Amino acid sequence: MRRRTFLTLAAWLVGTTSLTRATVIHNHVPWAPHPNSPPEIARPGPWQFFTLDEARAMEAIVDRIIPPDPETPGGKIAGCAVFIDRQLKGPYGSNQGLYTLGPHTKGTKEQGPQSALTHADLYRKALAALDKHCKSTQGGKSFAELDAAAQDDVLRKIESGEVKFETVDAQGFFSALLKDVPEGFFSDPIHGGNNDMVGWKMIGFPGIRYDYRDWVNRHNERYPHPPVSIAGRADWTPAKS
Amino acid sequence: MARKLPRKDVVIIGLGWTGSIMAYELADAGLDVIAIERGPWRNTATDYPPGYAADELRYRIRHELFLSPGQTTFTFRNKMSEAALPIRSWGAFMPPNGVGGGGVHWNAETWRFLPSDFVLKTHLTERYGAGFLPGDMTIQDWGVTYDELEPHYDRFEYLCGTSGQAGNIKGTIMEGGNPFEGPRSRAYPNPPQDQPFGHTLFGKAARELGYKPFPQPSGNMSRPYQNPLGVRLGPCTYCGFCEWFGCGNYSKASPQTTVLPALVRKPNFTARDNSEVTRINIDSSGKRATGVTFVDASGDEWEQPADLVVLSAYTIFNVQLLLLSGIGKAYDPAANTGVVGRNFTHQTISDVVSFFDPEKFVFNPFIASGAIGMCIDEFNGDNFDHGPHGFVGGGYVGQVQTNGRPIETTPVPPGTPLWGAAWKKAVKDNYQSAIKPGTGVHGSMYSYRDVYVDLDPTYKDRFNRPLVRITMDFHDNEIKQNKFLTDKFAEIFQAMGARQVHKEYRKAPYDITKYQTTHLCGGAIMGTDPGTSALNRYLQSWDVPNLFVLGASAFPQNAGYNPTGTVAALAYWAADAIRSKYLKNPGQLINA
Ligand SMILES: Cc1cc2nc3c(=O)[nH]c(=O)nc-3n(C[C@H](O)[C@H](O)[C@H](O)COP(=O)(O)OP(=O)(O)OC[C@H]3O[C@@H](n4cnc5c(N)ncnc54)[C@H](O)[C@@H]3O)c2cc1C
Ligand code: SF4
């Protein structure tokens, strides 16, 4: 074994597992009194990955993928762009843990994506190309400046392959959106999206309530309790007296 | 240079289900045992407590409990004529990593195979004639029978506290159980789990159609349970965060909740985590393993000498270590020679997604557990006459809806746009009244000459060793089988009153990006002839008798059930052979 490969392994392990050192376990359960892998909670605040222009485009996009309606807010208010921002800043954005060694050859559909781009690079390039495309075809307007119908039209043309980008696979970007935006709408609010659990309330998903023993036998009755997140519920926090 | 550690009686590679069972059995026999595990130690209380275990993004979507492809992956192609490319992010299956292995995040669907599954080649040839089987199909008998394994299945079910309804106790058919199962010596240790609404509807409709539905045997506890090793499990709360997740309630049978608490207290057992075995070492005769070499998390290389080596690293890693260590002759499909890599199989999973009237049906799909389901077994194995249908094999079909987690399970009727207002409305309208069974059709995949694994000529892992290359495609037999099962399954949903039933057949070519199951089988198969199998009927290597290879890599072909019941029964069967035969006279247990 060459020393260099060892170092790669060590670096990999430090980045991704809760126990970073190999341990020898003998005659005891290696139980530590404090949790060693609590979740990472996305903090509110400024954009961490997107530039202001990119963020404007993203907020417009997520509101077209999941538009607002009278009962439920759309992707923007739900925080889908914030969710994607925090994801792209983190391990997902840098393709951490994926197999990234070359050669990178385009294969069959059944062999799966082979691109050398990270998710972060894909968004960066695609958002730039999107604005460039809009400005050259829509009288100098960026995507965010278009009205909803025109935005839908651009997105539909990307989806169908009619609009292509020079620098990056436009359809590949659209597939990423169709995966990432609903994730932001439906994942636990601790990740920055699903604000106020709007995605869960829309469908009647109770979140992480965890115990349905009283309910498993109550057939065809609607479960009545509102959702709970890993961070709890706002109305469980006692009001200051 | 690797530093040498003190010799042990036994070294176990991988501390998942089979490694834990074997470690316990051999430590119990008084041997000095060490287990070396690639991933980290994992505890219920510290790694997935109820307060944050239910994080769909973290565990289901980002796969936190799994092996990262960056650490090791495989290359894949459909045909021998194509160039294989790396699986860069997981798709069709997802390999485990860490103490407990797949037992941490499995569903705990706990099945036995049919008696005929173990003598498949003989059985099918006798019933239909040799000409009925496709010419390139390479199915074989196992070399072990159902009756021989029965006591070991029983041990595993009692270890796990399996919840279920027996269908056949010592030849007496039991009402409400699976009438097709092989005779069992006693009932399950726990009664079946309660069934949510959609599942009971399925049972009712199936019964009305003349089938014999029964609750799927489940390793999710229907009540508190103490197992024969004195370890306690708590009742399942139907949380719906089971498959892909660790159970924060100690309610799912896993090595952590059944064996490890008893095992780690044995003074003659040691585990090393975050340490990957890179090679099984062989002496100059080529017929004796001297131990293993592994690399720990700091990148240091160690040699662990041992008298007995147990390889229990999961199907595809078992084959990888055999190939990289030069043990047994590698399979060559062109010449049809060699045994290691041969008879690799996966599964034919398909689905029927059904949409009911939202005014009349509220399913609360989030009330679920990993293994909850109502199934029928009429179309599994050779439970029905295949003569008129022109294919062999089968599977169970069932309403096995394990979750209502909204990133994964928000089905919309076919034809709905993929985004926008119409999509959003369809998600909202159908969430409570649609049924999307996870592994609704759970079908067999038999073995073929051109489906196998070997070492990739191009792509390397982080140790600069070749990746394992998978060459896999579906054959006509499996496509026909899947269509038949999926159609039968859809009829039951129609009878339940669905207003729209959408069949998602499994089609060729095999697609590495679509999740099926992590039920990979074969590659280091057991059998009676060293010319066509890598292991004898006790899972002992024909080439290196002090090496035993556990796991589904031993299956000569896949059956229409989840594998772990059989994987564990074989581990107990091998442990029994080691304890009662091998230790008295270490050497080949079978003369070829
Ligand atoms: C999401 C999911 C759901 C499943 N659901 C079911 C189900 O409901 N029913 C069912 O029957 N089966 C199910 N399975 C399959 C089940 O998990 C496996 O059959 C079972 O875990 C196999 O046991 P094993 O001991 O062979 O391997 P594993 O449990 O995978 O253990 C192998 C261990 O070896 C370690 N290892 C690998 N390589 C090395 C190395 N080089 N050095 C050191 N350590 C190594 C791994 O990290 C792992 O911990 C499921 C699997 C998955 C992934
Ligand atoms: S469904 Fe039951 S067994 Fe599964 S994780 Fe939840 S409580 Fe545990």
Side-chain angles (χ1 to χ4, degrees), chain A residues 27 30 47 54 59 63 114 120 138 153 177 183 207 238:
Chain A
N27 244 329
W47 301 103
E54 288 170 344
E59 293 208 304
D63 241 17
Q114 295 292 328
Q138 312 269 346
D153 189 53
L177 289 174
E183 280 174 17

Side-chain angles (χ1 to χ4, degrees), chain B residues 112-132:
Chain B
R112 298 177 173 200
F113 287 5
L114 296 167
S116 58
D117 284 331
F118 296 97
V119 288
L120 190 69
K121 179 78 184 279
T122 305
H123 173 90
L124 292 178
T125 313
E126 278 172 4
R127 185 165 176 188
Y128 303 104
F132 195 70

Side-chain angles (χ1 to χ4, degrees), chain B residues 153-341:
Chain B
Y153 273 123
D154 179 81
R155 279 190 79 181
F156 184 59
E157 286 159 4
Y158 274 73
L159 179 83
C160 288
T162 311
S163 309
Q165 167 65 52
N168 178 346
I169 299 184
K170 295 183 178 145
T172 306
I173 300 301
M174 313 296 292
E175 187 56 37
N178 178 6
F180 295 97
E181 69 176 355
R184 53 175 63 248
S185 43
R186 51 180 172 163
Y188 287 102
N190 284 311
Q193 290 192 278
D194 289 344
Q195 298 287 342
F197 181 41
H199 301 62
T200 58
L201 275 188
F202 181 90
K204 188 163 163 286
R207 211 170 297 112
E208 283 163 11
L209 288 171
Y211 300 125
K212 299 254 187 274
F214 57 91
Q216 170 166 258
S218 150
N220 312 134
M221 295 308 101
S222 56
R223 61 181 180 190
Y225 180 69
Q226 178 169 340
N227 79 10
L229 304 185
V231 184
R232 287 163 197 267
L233 292 92
C236 168
T237 61
Y238 306 90
C239 79
F241 283 84
C242 203
E243 180 186 21
W244 316 103
F245 301 80
C247 175
N249 280 338
Y250 301 85
S251 307
K252 175 163 74 178
S254 72
Q256 275 79 356
T257 55
T258 60
V259 200
L260 291 169
L263 176 61
V264 291
R265 287 184 170 82
K266 287 197 176 285
N268 50 339
F269 172 75
T270 306
R272 279 189 87 119
D273 71 354
N274 284 319
S275 298
E276 179 163 349
V277 173
T278 51
R279 192 166 61 240
I280 300 167
N281 302 316
I282 307 295
D283 73 5
S284 55
S285 75
K287 296 199 171 326
R288 202 183 148 71
T290 56
V292 304
T293 299
F294 68 92
V295 178
D296 71 17
S298 337
D300 291 333
E301 196 178 44
W302 303 85
E303 188 186 331
Q304 176 62 65
D307 289 344
L308 182 63
V309 177
V310 174
L311 176 52
S312 49
Y314 186 71
T315 311
I316 195 149
F317 305 113
N318 285 351
V319 182
Q320 177 188 37
L321 277 171
L322 292 176
L323 289 171
L324 290 172
S325 310
I327 299 172
K329 193 168 180 315
Y331 175 60
D332 173 355
N336 204 10
T337 56
V339 292
V340 181

Side-chain angles (χ1 to χ4, degrees), chain A residues 23 25 65 71 97 103 210 220-221, chain B residues 70 237 271 273 362 364 420 428 459:
Chain A
T23 42
I25 296 137
I65 305 276
E71 284 137 49
Y210 224 76
N220 215 10
E221 258 185 76
Chain B
T237 61
D273 71 354
V362 177
N364 292 327
K428 182 184 171 188
Y459 290 94

Side-chain angles (χ1 to χ4, degrees), chain B residues 17-38:
Chain B
W17 260 130
T18 57
S20 306
I21 287 172
M22 185 57 92
Y24 185 88
E25 289 300 305
L26 298 185
D28 194 56
L31 299 176
D32 199 4
V33 179
I34 183 162
I36 299 173
E37 165 58 44
R38 179 179 59 198

Side-chain angles (χ1 to χ4, degrees), chain B residues 13-19 36-39 66 94 96-98 100-103 105-109 243-244 275-277 312-314 317 321 515 518-519 551 562-565 567:
Chain B
I13 308 167
L15 196 53
W17 260 130
T18 57
I36 299 173
E37 165 58 44
R38 179 179 59 198
F66 291 82
M94 246 157 256
N97 195 44
H105 44 64
W106 73 323
N107 304 52
E109 303 169 351
E243 180 186 21
W244 316 103
S275 298
E276 179 163 349
V277 173
S312 49
Y314 186 71
F317 305 113
L321 277 171
Y515 189 73
T518 308
H519 305 163
N562 310 60
T564 309
V567 161

